Amino acid sequence: MNDFSEIEDKLRKLRPVQPSVDLMTRIELALAEARPGESLHQGNRSASTAGVLPRERRFHFNWVSLGLGLAAAAALVLFARFQLERPVKKTPALASITPIPQFSSTNSTAQFVPAGLTQVVYHTRDEGLHFPNNSEQPMRRVRSHTRETLRWRNPTTGASLRISYPSEEVSLVPVTGQ
Amino acid sequence: MENVATDENWKTCFSQLAPGLVLFARQWARSSADAEDIVQEAFVRFWRKQHDIANRGLLYAAVRSIALDFLRRDSRRARRESTAASETDQTVQPMFEIEDESQRALVAALDLLPNEQREVLVMKIWNDLTFAEIASALEISQNTAASRYRYALATLKKNLPPV
């Protein structure tokens, strides 16, 4: 083994690249998230990880879920309200057996106008340097996870409609200054 | 070593092992970010099963298992993405902080090692695992682990240019 002591020393002098600073935070979050599903040795786990897994972080995560849930519920309530109000205001009782509903439906849809777009980036990940299409110019690839919310509003009735969906975007950023 | 670790044990353990674990995972991952994801998942799985924090062989076995799963998923994904993205798209992310040309040559030689030798080397040199722990992680005998280590060093020594 002594024959290799020199090469071992050289290898030990090589220092691995340090992990990103947020890795520990991400692991704490992941552990906090995993906690509720656990059933074995519950007492031990609580005692052994209480400081590593602060409850505040878990609460933060639930807060986001709660916010999204509330937004979805609000959109649903507004949409339901709009649907309930429409026959009372515009159509008499007899209208239910006439072709009028088709007319009112297209009419009310046309009255909705775009009211806003919200894009929330909740996670980005740097995927390192790339050389796309044999280019000599390195590009940094960044993957972003976003949630986009589109809103429409009916100016006459005040009703609004909201659609929210997740999306993923990959962007290439030129690297300069090397 | 007691089974139930204190909070500080977990923190200290992870902060000490993280660079080596990420380096170990990088052997199968295409980027540091992927390697960190693998380490994160392994650490959570390890914690969930309440394994002894001192059982490093098991921790590395978890990283390896998840990394291999990730590699299988990643290669399927890469095949799908290759139709849309450039085929020459290449990840250039260093695994080491290289200080001079001799270190660069050493890293290049390291890259040429067979996987089975390199993983033993990574566990031994940068993670200070014993051959018993390496054998446990890789499910091989200690003699096999030791001989792979020696073969790896011999290959590196042969391939490195004289100083």
Side-chain angles (χ1 to χ4, degrees), chain A residues 3 7-8 14-15 17 20 26-27 38 45 48-49 51 125 128 130, chain B residues 5 7 14 34 36-37 40 47-48 50 89 93 95 97 126 149 157 160:
Chain A
D3 295 337
I7 191 85
E8 282 179 312
L14 274 177
R15 287 172 35 222
V17 170
S20 63
R26 282 167 47 202
I27 287 180
E38 296 300 319
R45 179 165 291 107
S48 64
T49 56
R125 196 172 77 176
H130 296 258
Chain B
D7 307 341
F14 185 74
D34 287 346
E36 289 185 1
D37 287 349
Q40 176 180 331
W47 176 80
R48 266 185 175 162
Q50 278 284 289
D89 193 18
Q93 282 190 310
M95 293 167 69
E97 293 170 359
W126 292 284
Y149 179 72
K157 192 174 177 184
L160 275 182

PDB file of all heavy atoms in Angstrom, chain A residues 3 7-8 14-15 17 20 26-27 38 45 48-49 51 125 128 130, chain B residues 5 7 14 34 36-37 40 47-48 50 89 93 95 97 126 149 157 160:
ATOM      1  N   ASP A   3       3.291   1.888  -1.829  1.00  0.00           N
ATOM      2  CA  ASP A   3       3.586   2.318  -3.201  1.00  0.00           C
ATOM      3  C   ASP A   3       2.628   3.411  -3.655  1.00  0.00           C
ATOM      4  O   ASP A   3       2.955   4.177  -4.548  1.00  0.00           O
ATOM      5  CB  ASP A   3       3.460   1.126  -4.157  1.00  0.00           C
ATOM      6  CG  ASP A   3       4.508   0.076  -3.864  1.00  0.00           C
ATOM      7  OD1 ASP A   3       5.544   0.447  -3.275  1.00  0.00           O
ATOM      8  OD2 ASP A   3       4.283  -1.085  -4.201  1.00  0.00           O
ATOM      9  N   ILE A   7       0.248   8.950  -4.553  1.00  0.00           N
ATOM     10  CA  ILE A   7      -0.974   9.235  -5.323  1.00  0.00           C
ATOM     11  C   ILE A   7      -2.163   9.476  -4.383  1.00  0.00           C
ATOM     12  O   ILE A   7      -3.029  10.317  -4.652  1.00  0.00           O
ATOM     13  CB  ILE A   7      -1.266   8.093  -6.330  1.00  0.00           C
ATOM     14  CG1 ILE A   7      -2.366   8.501  -7.318  1.00  0.00           C
ATOM     15  CG2 ILE A   7      -1.688   6.817  -5.672  1.00  0.00           C
ATOM     16  CD1 ILE A   7      -1.829   9.252  -8.468  1.00  0.00           C
ATOM     17  N   GLU A   8      -2.169   8.768  -3.256  1.00  0.00           N
ATOM     18  CA  GLU A   8      -3.240   9.006  -2.269  1.00  0.00           C
ATOM     19  C   GLU A   8      -3.168  10.435  -1.735  1.00  0.00           C
ATOM     20  O   GLU A   8      -4.203  11.091  -1.559  1.00  0.00           O
ATOM     21  CB  GLU A   8      -3.125   8.004  -1.116  1.00  0.00           C
ATOM     22  CG  GLU A   8      -3.656   6.636  -1.450  1.00  0.00           C
ATOM     23  CD  GLU A   8      -3.503   5.667  -0.291  1.00  0.00           C
ATOM     24  OE1 GLU A   8      -2.405   5.593   0.288  1.00  0.00           O
ATOM     25  OE2 GLU A   8      -4.483   4.990   0.045  1.00  0.00           O
ATOM     26  N   LEU A  14      -7.128  17.072  -3.550  1.00  0.00           N
ATOM     27  CA  LEU A  14      -8.249  17.522  -4.390  1.00  0.00           C
ATOM     28  C   LEU A  14      -9.455  17.764  -3.488  1.00  0.00           C
ATOM     29  O   LEU A  14      -9.860  16.879  -2.739  1.00  0.00           O
ATOM     30  CB  LEU A  14      -8.612  16.446  -5.406  1.00  0.00           C
ATOM     31  CG  LEU A  14      -7.870  16.404  -6.727  1.00  0.00           C
ATOM     32  CD1 LEU A  14      -8.357  15.210  -7.530  1.00  0.00           C
ATOM     33  CD2 LEU A  14      -8.116  17.678  -7.508  1.00  0.00           C
ATOM     34  N   ARG A  15     -10.020  18.940  -3.603  1.00  0.00           N
ATOM     35  CA  ARG A  15     -11.175  19.242  -2.740  1.00  0.00           C
ATOM     36  C   ARG A  15     -12.452  19.219  -3.560  1.00  0.00           C
ATOM     37  O   ARG A  15     -12.554  19.932  -4.569  1.00  0.00           O
ATOM     38  CB  ARG A  15     -10.988  20.601  -2.074  1.00  0.00           C
ATOM     39  CG  ARG A  15      -9.932  20.505  -0.975  1.00  0.00           C
ATOM     40  CD  ARG A  15      -9.538  21.829  -0.382  1.00  0.00           C
ATOM     41  NE  ARG A  15     -10.635  22.779  -0.303  1.00  0.00           N
ATOM     42  CZ  ARG A  15     -10.507  24.049  -0.606  1.00  0.00           C
ATOM     43  NH1 ARG A  15      -9.371  24.507  -1.028  1.00  0.00           N
ATOM     44  NH2 ARG A  15     -11.532  24.869  -0.479  1.00  0.00           N
ATOM     45  N   VAL A  17     -16.093  20.035  -4.907  1.00  0.00           N
ATOM     46  CA  VAL A  17     -16.860  21.284  -4.943  1.00  0.00           C
ATOM     47  C   VAL A  17     -17.899  21.253  -3.818  1.00  0.00           C
ATOM     48  O   VAL A  17     -18.548  20.233  -3.587  1.00  0.00           O
ATOM     49  CB  VAL A  17     -17.562  21.418  -6.314  1.00  0.00           C
ATOM     50  CG1 VAL A  17     -18.547  22.558  -6.312  1.00  0.00           C
ATOM     51  CG2 VAL A  17     -16.531  21.608  -7.400  1.00  0.00           C
ATOM     52  N   SER A  20     -24.373  23.435  -2.700  1.00  0.00           N
ATOM     53  CA  SER A  20     -24.973  24.769  -2.606  1.00  0.00           C
ATOM     54  C   SER A  20     -25.425  25.045  -1.173  1.00  0.00           C
ATOM     55  O   SER A  20     -25.741  24.121  -0.420  1.00  0.00           O
ATOM     56  CB  SER A  20     -26.155  24.891  -3.560  1.00  0.00           C
ATOM     57  OG  SER A  20     -27.147  23.976  -3.193  1.00  0.00           O
ATOM     58  N   ARG A  26     -33.003  22.867   2.237  1.00  0.00           N
ATOM     59  CA  ARG A  26     -33.931  22.031   1.481  1.00  0.00           C
ATOM     60  C   ARG A  26     -34.154  20.696   2.187  1.00  0.00           C
ATOM     61  O   ARG A  26     -35.267  20.174   2.227  1.00  0.00           O
ATOM     62  CB  ARG A  26     -33.368  21.786   0.080  1.00  0.00           C
ATOM     63  CG  ARG A  26     -33.560  22.969  -0.848  1.00  0.00           C
ATOM     64  CD  ARG A  26     -32.730  22.840  -2.094  1.00  0.00           C
ATOM     65  NE  ARG A  26     -32.820  21.524  -2.700  1.00  0.00           N
ATOM     66  CZ  ARG A  26     -31.903  21.001  -3.523  1.00  0.00           C
ATOM     67  NH1 ARG A  26     -30.855  21.702  -3.844  1.00  0.00           N
ATOM     68  NH2 ARG A  26     -32.057  19.805  -4.020  1.00  0.00           N
ATOM     69  N   ILE A  27     -33.091  20.169   2.774  1.00  0.00           N
ATOM     70  CA  ILE A  27     -33.230  18.880   3.460  1.00  0.00           C
ATOM     71  C   ILE A  27     -34.076  19.049   4.718  1.00  0.00           C
ATOM     72  O   ILE A  27     -34.934  18.224   5.020  1.00  0.00           O
ATOM     73  CB  ILE A  27     -31.849  18.282   3.766  1.00  0.00           C
ATOM     74  CG1 ILE A  27     -31.254  17.787   2.439  1.00  0.00           C
ATOM     75  CG2 ILE A  27     -31.937  17.161   4.765  1.00  0.00           C
ATOM     76  CD1 ILE A  27     -29.913  17.167   2.547  1.00  0.00           C
ATOM     77  N   GLU A  38     -45.095   9.835   9.315  1.00  0.00           N
ATOM     78  CA  GLU A  38     -44.360   8.840  10.065  1.00  0.00           C
ATOM     79  C   GLU A  38     -45.199   8.256  11.173  1.00  0.00           C
ATOM     80  O   GLU A  38     -45.994   8.911  11.799  1.00  0.00           O
ATOM     81  CB  GLU A  38     -43.101   9.469  10.656  1.00  0.00           C
ATOM     82  CG  GLU A  38     -42.135   9.947   9.611  1.00  0.00           C
ATOM     83  CD  GLU A  38     -41.647   8.841   8.720  1.00  0.00           C
ATOM     84  OE1 GLU A  38     -41.385   7.760   9.229  1.00  0.00           O
ATOM     85  OE2 GLU A  38     -41.580   9.063   7.510  1.00  0.00           O
ATOM     86  N   ARG A  45     -38.349  10.177  17.157  1.00  0.00           N
ATOM     87  CA  ARG A  45     -38.106  11.105  16.055  1.00  0.00           C
ATOM     88  C   ARG A  45     -38.339  12.537  16.512  1.00  0.00           C
ATOM     89  O   ARG A  45     -37.564  13.417  16.191  1.00  0.00           O
ATOM     90  CB  ARG A  45     -39.021  10.767  14.881  1.00  0.00           C
ATOM     91  CG  ARG A  45     -38.832  11.710  13.749  1.00  0.00           C
ATOM     92  CD  ARG A  45     -39.433  11.180  12.488  1.00  0.00           C
ATOM     93  NE  ARG A  45     -38.691  10.037  12.012  1.00  0.00           N
ATOM     94  CZ  ARG A  45     -39.120   8.795  12.070  1.00  0.00           C
ATOM     95  NH1 ARG A  45     -40.299   8.540  12.553  1.00  0.00           N
ATOM     96  NH2 ARG A  45     -38.384   7.813  11.637  1.00  0.00           N
ATOM     97  N   SER A  48     -35.373  13.571  18.446  1.00  0.00           N
ATOM     98  CA  SER A  48     -34.072  13.641  17.805  1.00  0.00           C
ATOM     99  C   SER A  48     -33.988  14.701  16.721  1.00  0.00           C
ATOM    100  O   SER A  48     -32.911  15.043  16.287  1.00  0.00           O
ATOM    101  CB  SER A  48     -33.729  12.288  17.195  1.00  0.00           C
ATOM    102  OG  SER A  48     -34.651  11.980  16.186  1.00  0.00           O
ATOM    103  N   THR A  49     -35.095  15.210  16.244  1.00  0.00           N
ATOM    104  CA  THR A  49     -35.020  16.126  15.110  1.00  0.00           C
ATOM    105  C   THR A  49     -35.709  17.452  15.361  1.00  0.00           C
ATOM    106  O   THR A  49     -35.872  18.234  14.434  1.00  0.00           O
ATOM    107  CB  THR A  49     -35.661  15.480  13.872  1.00  0.00           C
ATOM    108  OG1 THR A  49     -36.985  15.123  14.216  1.00  0.00           O
ATOM    109  CG2 THR A  49     -34.894  14.272  13.412  1.00  0.00           C
ATOM    110  N   GLY A  51     -34.803  20.223  16.666  1.00  0.00           N
ATOM    111  CA  GLY A  51     -34.061  21.422  16.295  1.00  0.00           C
ATOM    112  C   GLY A  51     -33.711  21.464  14.819  1.00  0.00           C
ATOM    113  O   GLY A  51     -33.596  22.516  14.230  1.00  0.00           O
ATOM    114  N   ARG A 125     -33.916  26.566 -10.330  1.00  0.00           N
ATOM    115  CA  ARG A 125     -32.768  25.685 -10.152  1.00  0.00           C
ATOM    116  C   ARG A 125     -31.742  25.950 -11.240  1.00  0.00           C
ATOM    117  O   ARG A 125     -32.067  25.956 -12.418  1.00  0.00           O
ATOM    118  CB  ARG A 125     -33.215  24.226 -10.202  1.00  0.00           C
ATOM    119  CG  ARG A 125     -32.164  23.288  -9.648  1.00  0.00           C
ATOM    120  CD  ARG A 125     -32.662  21.898  -9.513  1.00  0.00           C
ATOM    121  NE  ARG A 125     -32.704  21.232 -10.803  1.00  0.00           N
ATOM    122  CZ  ARG A 125     -33.038  19.959 -10.976  1.00  0.00           C
ATOM    123  NH1 ARG A 125     -33.417  19.256  -9.931  1.00  0.00           N
ATOM    124  NH2 ARG A 125     -33.050  19.417 -12.163  1.00  0.00           N
ATOM    125  N   GLY A 128     -26.471  24.565 -14.363  1.00  0.00           N
ATOM    126  CA  GLY A 128     -25.085  24.594 -14.784  1.00  0.00           C
ATOM    127  C   GLY A 128     -24.866  25.132 -16.182  1.00  0.00           C
ATOM    128  O   GLY A 128     -25.772  25.618 -16.838  1.00  0.00           O
ATOM    129  N   HIS A 130     -23.880  25.108 -20.164  1.00  0.00           N
ATOM    130  CA  HIS A 130     -24.106  24.279 -21.347  1.00  0.00           C
ATOM    131  C   HIS A 130     -23.545  25.007 -22.559  1.00  0.00           C
ATOM    132  O   HIS A 130     -23.417  26.232 -22.560  1.00  0.00           O
ATOM    133  CB  HIS A 130     -25.601  24.044 -21.564  1.00  0.00           C
ATOM    134  CG  HIS A 130     -26.215  23.262 -20.448  1.00  0.00           C
ATOM    135  ND1 HIS A 130     -26.504  21.927 -20.528  1.00  0.00           N
ATOM    136  CD2 HIS A 130     -26.569  23.652 -19.203  1.00  0.00           C
ATOM    137  CE1 HIS A 130     -27.015  21.528 -19.382  1.00  0.00           C
ATOM    138  NE2 HIS A 130     -27.066  22.554 -18.566  1.00  0.00           N
TER     139      HIS A 130
ATOM    140  N   ALA B   5     -29.921   9.948  17.486  1.00  0.00           N
ATOM    141  CA  ALA B   5     -28.947  11.022  17.445  1.00  0.00           C
ATOM    142  C   ALA B   5     -29.579  12.323  17.917  1.00  0.00           C
ATOM    143  O   ALA B   5     -30.780  12.511  17.816  1.00  0.00           O
ATOM    144  CB  ALA B   5     -28.443  11.184  16.022  1.00  0.00           C
ATOM    145  N   ASP B   7     -30.024  16.555  17.785  1.00  0.00           N
ATOM    146  CA  ASP B   7     -30.179  17.486  16.670  1.00  0.00           C
ATOM    147  C   ASP B   7     -28.831  17.873  16.084  1.00  0.00           C
ATOM    148  O   ASP B   7     -28.639  17.914  14.880  1.00  0.00           O
ATOM    149  CB  ASP B   7     -30.878  18.766  17.162  1.00  0.00           C
ATOM    150  CG  ASP B   7     -32.161  18.426  17.867  1.00  0.00           C
ATOM    151  OD1 ASP B   7     -32.665  17.302  17.665  1.00  0.00           O
ATOM    152  OD2 ASP B   7     -32.644  19.293  18.615  1.00  0.00           O
ATOM    153  N   PHE B  14     -24.461  15.818   8.701  1.00  0.00           N
ATOM    154  CA  PHE B  14     -24.746  16.190   7.325  1.00  0.00           C
ATOM    155  C   PHE B  14     -23.734  17.198   6.791  1.00  0.00           C
ATOM    156  O   PHE B  14     -23.269  17.080   5.664  1.00  0.00           O
ATOM    157  CB  PHE B  14     -26.163  16.722   7.165  1.00  0.00           C
ATOM    158  CG  PHE B  14     -26.463  16.992   5.727  1.00  0.00           C
ATOM    159  CD1 PHE B  14     -26.699  15.942   4.861  1.00  0.00           C
ATOM    160  CD2 PHE B  14     -26.436  18.265   5.221  1.00  0.00           C
ATOM    161  CE1 PHE B  14     -26.910  16.155   3.522  1.00  0.00           C
ATOM    162  CE2 PHE B  14     -26.648  18.497   3.879  1.00  0.00           C
ATOM    163  CZ  PHE B  14     -26.887  17.436   3.032  1.00  0.00           C
ATOM    164  N   ASP B  34     -28.563  17.930  -9.790  1.00  0.00           N
ATOM    165  CA  ASP B  34     -29.138  16.582  -9.745  1.00  0.00           C
ATOM    166  C   ASP B  34     -28.535  15.780  -8.594  1.00  0.00           C
ATOM    167  O   ASP B  34     -29.230  15.056  -7.884  1.00  0.00           O
ATOM    168  CB  ASP B  34     -28.884  15.854 -11.063  1.00  0.00           C
ATOM    169  CG  ASP B  34     -29.747  16.404 -12.190  1.00  0.00           C
ATOM    170  OD1 ASP B  34     -30.711  17.139 -11.882  1.00  0.00           O
ATOM    171  OD2 ASP B  34     -29.455  16.110 -13.365  1.00  0.00           O
ATOM    172  N   GLU B  36     -27.339  16.905  -5.836  1.00  0.00           N
ATOM    173  CA  GLU B  36     -27.892  17.393  -4.568  1.00  0.00           C
ATOM    174  C   GLU B  36     -29.302  16.857  -4.347  1.00  0.00           C
ATOM    175  O   GLU B  36     -29.688  16.533  -3.223  1.00  0.00           O
ATOM    176  CB  GLU B  36     -27.877  18.920  -4.550  1.00  0.00           C
ATOM    177  CG  GLU B  36     -26.465  19.474  -4.423  1.00  0.00           C
ATOM    178  CD  GLU B  36     -26.437  20.986  -4.294  1.00  0.00           C
ATOM    179  OE1 GLU B  36     -27.514  21.604  -4.291  1.00  0.00           O
ATOM    180  OE2 GLU B  36     -25.337  21.540  -4.194  1.00  0.00           O
ATOM    181  N   ASP B  37     -30.076  16.767  -5.417  1.00  0.00           N
ATOM    182  CA  ASP B  37     -31.412  16.185  -5.288  1.00  0.00           C
ATOM    183  C   ASP B  37     -31.332  14.739  -4.802  1.00  0.00           C
ATOM    184  O   ASP B  37     -32.123  14.296  -3.968  1.00  0.00           O
ATOM    185  CB  ASP B  37     -32.145  16.228  -6.632  1.00  0.00           C
ATOM    186  CG  ASP B  37     -32.592  17.633  -6.998  1.00  0.00           C
ATOM    187  OD1 ASP B  37     -32.519  18.504  -6.111  1.00  0.00           O
ATOM    188  OD2 ASP B  37     -32.987  17.857  -8.149  1.00  0.00           O
ATOM    189  N   GLN B  40     -30.361  14.686  -1.164  1.00  0.00           N
ATOM    190  CA  GLN B  40     -31.513  15.104  -0.354  1.00  0.00           C
ATOM    191  C   GLN B  40     -32.484  13.942  -0.164  1.00  0.00           C
ATOM    192  O   GLN B  40     -32.920  13.646   0.944  1.00  0.00           O
ATOM    193  CB  GLN B  40     -32.216  16.271  -1.040  1.00  0.00           C
ATOM    194  CG  GLN B  40     -33.482  16.704  -0.316  1.00  0.00           C
ATOM    195  CD  GLN B  40     -34.158  17.859  -1.032  1.00  0.00           C
ATOM    196  OE1 GLN B  40     -33.505  18.659  -1.693  1.00  0.00           O
ATOM    197  NE2 GLN B  40     -35.461  17.939  -0.912  1.00  0.00           N
ATOM    198  N   TRP B  47     -33.390   9.080   7.122  1.00  0.00           N
ATOM    199  CA  TRP B  47     -33.979   9.609   8.360  1.00  0.00           C
ATOM    200  C   TRP B  47     -35.328   8.968   8.643  1.00  0.00           C
ATOM    201  O   TRP B  47     -35.651   8.616   9.763  1.00  0.00           O
ATOM    202  CB  TRP B  47     -34.119  11.123   8.216  1.00  0.00           C
ATOM    203  CG  TRP B  47     -34.795  11.780   9.361  1.00  0.00           C
ATOM    204  CD1 TRP B  47     -34.252  12.118  10.553  1.00  0.00           C
ATOM    205  CD2 TRP B  47     -36.162  12.171   9.422  1.00  0.00           C
ATOM    206  NE1 TRP B  47     -35.185  12.712  11.354  1.00  0.00           N
ATOM    207  CE2 TRP B  47     -36.372  12.751  10.680  1.00  0.00           C
ATOM    208  CE3 TRP B  47     -37.237  12.093   8.536  1.00  0.00           C
ATOM    209  CZ2 TRP B  47     -37.607  13.247  11.073  1.00  0.00           C
ATOM    210  CZ3 TRP B  47     -38.461  12.589   8.926  1.00  0.00           C
ATOM    211  CH2 TRP B  47     -38.636  13.155  10.173  1.00  0.00           C
ATOM    212  N   ARG B  48     -36.123   8.787   7.582  1.00  0.00           N
ATOM    213  CA  ARG B  48     -37.448   8.183   7.750  1.00  0.00           C
ATOM    214  C   ARG B  48     -37.362   6.793   8.354  1.00  0.00           C
ATOM    215  O   ARG B  48     -38.186   6.403   9.150  1.00  0.00           O
ATOM    216  CB  ARG B  48     -38.121   8.066   6.386  1.00  0.00           C
ATOM    217  CG  ARG B  48     -39.012   9.222   6.046  1.00  0.00           C
ATOM    218  CD  ARG B  48     -39.695   8.934   4.753  1.00  0.00           C
ATOM    219  NE  ARG B  48     -40.647   9.954   4.420  1.00  0.00           N
ATOM    220  CZ  ARG B  48     -41.128  10.142   3.208  1.00  0.00           C
ATOM    221  NH1 ARG B  48     -40.762   9.360   2.230  1.00  0.00           N
ATOM    222  NH2 ARG B  48     -41.996  11.088   2.978  1.00  0.00           N
ATOM    223  N   GLN B  50     -35.171   5.739  10.266  1.00  0.00           N
ATOM    224  CA  GLN B  50     -34.540   5.792  11.592  1.00  0.00           C
ATOM    225  C   GLN B  50     -33.285   4.942  11.671  1.00  0.00           C
ATOM    226  O   GLN B  50     -33.054   4.228  12.642  1.00  0.00           O
ATOM    227  CB  GLN B  50     -35.546   5.334  12.661  1.00  0.00           C
ATOM    228  CG  GLN B  50     -36.503   6.416  13.092  1.00  0.00           C
ATOM    229  CD  GLN B  50     -35.820   7.413  14.018  1.00  0.00           C
ATOM    230  OE1 GLN B  50     -35.516   7.102  15.156  1.00  0.00           O
ATOM    231  NE2 GLN B  50     -35.568   8.594  13.525  1.00  0.00           N
ATOM    232  N   ASP B  89     -25.402  19.299 -26.730  1.00  0.00           N
ATOM    233  CA  ASP B  89     -25.528  20.016 -25.469  1.00  0.00           C
ATOM    234  C   ASP B  89     -24.716  19.270 -24.404  1.00  0.00           C
ATOM    235  O   ASP B  89     -24.910  18.092 -24.178  1.00  0.00           O
ATOM    236  CB  ASP B  89     -27.004  20.035 -25.088  1.00  0.00           C
ATOM    237  CG  ASP B  89     -27.279  21.002 -23.978  1.00  0.00           C
ATOM    238  OD1 ASP B  89     -26.437  21.863 -23.763  1.00  0.00           O
ATOM    239  OD2 ASP B  89     -28.339  20.896 -23.362  1.00  0.00           O
ATOM    240  N   GLN B  93     -19.521  20.932 -15.565  1.00  0.00           N
ATOM    241  CA  GLN B  93     -19.548  21.352 -14.165  1.00  0.00           C
ATOM    242  C   GLN B  93     -18.461  20.589 -13.436  1.00  0.00           C
ATOM    243  O   GLN B  93     -18.462  19.363 -13.424  1.00  0.00           O
ATOM    244  CB  GLN B  93     -20.906  21.046 -13.553  1.00  0.00           C
ATOM    245  CG  GLN B  93     -21.951  22.044 -13.964  1.00  0.00           C
ATOM    246  CD  GLN B  93     -23.218  21.858 -13.165  1.00  0.00           C
ATOM    247  OE1 GLN B  93     -23.722  20.755 -13.061  1.00  0.00           O
ATOM    248  NE2 GLN B  93     -23.719  22.913 -12.592  1.00  0.00           N
ATOM    249  N   MET B  95     -16.219  18.759 -10.688  1.00  0.00           N
ATOM    250  CA  MET B  95     -16.522  18.019  -9.467  1.00  0.00           C
ATOM    251  C   MET B  95     -15.549  18.411  -8.355  1.00  0.00           C
ATOM    252  O   MET B  95     -15.798  18.136  -7.196  1.00  0.00           O
ATOM    253  CB  MET B  95     -16.439  16.527  -9.735  1.00  0.00           C
ATOM    254  CG  MET B  95     -17.521  16.042 -10.684  1.00  0.00           C
ATOM    255  SD  MET B  95     -17.221  14.379 -11.308  1.00  0.00           S
ATOM    256  CE  MET B  95     -17.448  13.398  -9.847  1.00  0.00           C
ATOM    257  N   GLU B  97     -12.470  21.423  -6.921  1.00  0.00           N
ATOM    258  CA  GLU B  97     -11.910  22.770  -7.026  1.00  0.00           C
ATOM    259  C   GLU B  97     -10.456  22.617  -7.469  1.00  0.00           C
ATOM    260  O   GLU B  97      -9.579  22.330  -6.656  1.00  0.00           O
ATOM    261  CB  GLU B  97     -12.018  23.487  -5.686  1.00  0.00           C
ATOM    262  CG  GLU B  97     -13.463  23.768  -5.308  1.00  0.00           C
ATOM    263  CD  GLU B  97     -13.621  24.255  -3.882  1.00  0.00           C
ATOM    264  OE1 GLU B  97     -12.601  24.363  -3.174  1.00  0.00           O
ATOM    265  OE2 GLU B  97     -14.765  24.505  -3.492  1.00  0.00           O
ATOM    266  N   TRP B 126     -12.446  10.547  -0.253  1.00  0.00           N
ATOM    267  CA  TRP B 126     -13.118  11.802   0.102  1.00  0.00           C
ATOM    268  C   TRP B 126     -14.235  11.620   1.121  1.00  0.00           C
ATOM    269  O   TRP B 126     -14.868  12.576   1.503  1.00  0.00           O
ATOM    270  CB  TRP B 126     -13.658  12.489  -1.147  1.00  0.00           C
ATOM    271  CG  TRP B 126     -12.548  12.976  -2.012  1.00  0.00           C
ATOM    272  CD1 TRP B 126     -11.782  14.086  -1.782  1.00  0.00           C
ATOM    273  CD2 TRP B 126     -12.041  12.364  -3.193  1.00  0.00           C
ATOM    274  NE1 TRP B 126     -10.834  14.201  -2.769  1.00  0.00           N
ATOM    275  CE2 TRP B 126     -10.974  13.164  -3.645  1.00  0.00           C
ATOM    276  CE3 TRP B 126     -12.383  11.226  -3.919  1.00  0.00           C
ATOM    277  CZ2 TRP B 126     -10.249  12.853  -4.790  1.00  0.00           C
ATOM    278  CZ3 TRP B 126     -11.667  10.921  -5.055  1.00  0.00           C
ATOM    279  CH2 TRP B 126     -10.609  11.727  -5.476  1.00  0.00           C
ATOM    280  N   TYR B 149      -9.875  -0.751  -4.985  1.00  0.00           N
ATOM    281  CA  TYR B 149      -9.165   0.467  -4.573  1.00  0.00           C
ATOM    282  C   TYR B 149      -7.725   0.439  -5.083  1.00  0.00           C
ATOM    283  O   TYR B 149      -7.223   1.414  -5.651  1.00  0.00           O
ATOM    284  CB  TYR B 149      -9.223   0.571  -3.047  1.00  0.00           C
ATOM    285  CG  TYR B 149      -8.519   1.767  -2.464  1.00  0.00           C
ATOM    286  CD1 TYR B 149      -9.062   3.038  -2.622  1.00  0.00           C
ATOM    287  CD2 TYR B 149      -7.338   1.632  -1.746  1.00  0.00           C
ATOM    288  CE1 TYR B 149      -8.422   4.146  -2.089  1.00  0.00           C
ATOM    289  CE2 TYR B 149      -6.705   2.726  -1.196  1.00  0.00           C
ATOM    290  CZ  TYR B 149      -7.247   3.981  -1.370  1.00  0.00           C
ATOM    291  OH  TYR B 149      -6.625   5.081  -0.846  1.00  0.00           O
ATOM    292  N   LYS B 157      -1.836   5.933 -11.131  1.00  0.00           N
ATOM    293  CA  LYS B 157      -0.383   6.137 -11.088  1.00  0.00           C
ATOM    294  C   LYS B 157       0.225   5.923 -12.480  1.00  0.00           C
ATOM    295  O   LYS B 157       1.114   6.663 -12.897  1.00  0.00           O
ATOM    296  CB  LYS B 157       0.219   5.143 -10.073  1.00  0.00           C
ATOM    297  CG  LYS B 157       1.636   5.439  -9.716  1.00  0.00           C
ATOM    298  CD  LYS B 157       2.107   4.503  -8.613  1.00  0.00           C
ATOM    299  CE  LYS B 157       3.568   4.747  -8.303  1.00  0.00           C
ATOM    300  NZ  LYS B 157       4.073   3.806  -7.310  1.00  0.00           N
ATOM    301  N   LEU B 160      -0.916   8.895 -14.950  1.00  0.00           N
ATOM    302  CA  LEU B 160      -0.511  10.270 -14.689  1.00  0.00           C
ATOM    303  C   LEU B 160       0.853  10.563 -15.284  1.00  0.00           C
ATOM    304  O   LEU B 160       1.774   9.735 -15.157  1.00  0.00           O
ATOM    305  CB  LEU B 160      -0.469  10.531 -13.177  1.00  0.00           C
ATOM    306  CG  LEU B 160      -1.794  10.916 -12.532  1.00  0.00           C
ATOM    307  CD1 LEU B 160      -1.574  11.178 -11.059  1.00  0.00           C
ATOM    308  CD2 LEU B 160      -2.389  12.141 -13.199  1.00  0.00           C
TER     309      LEU B 160
END
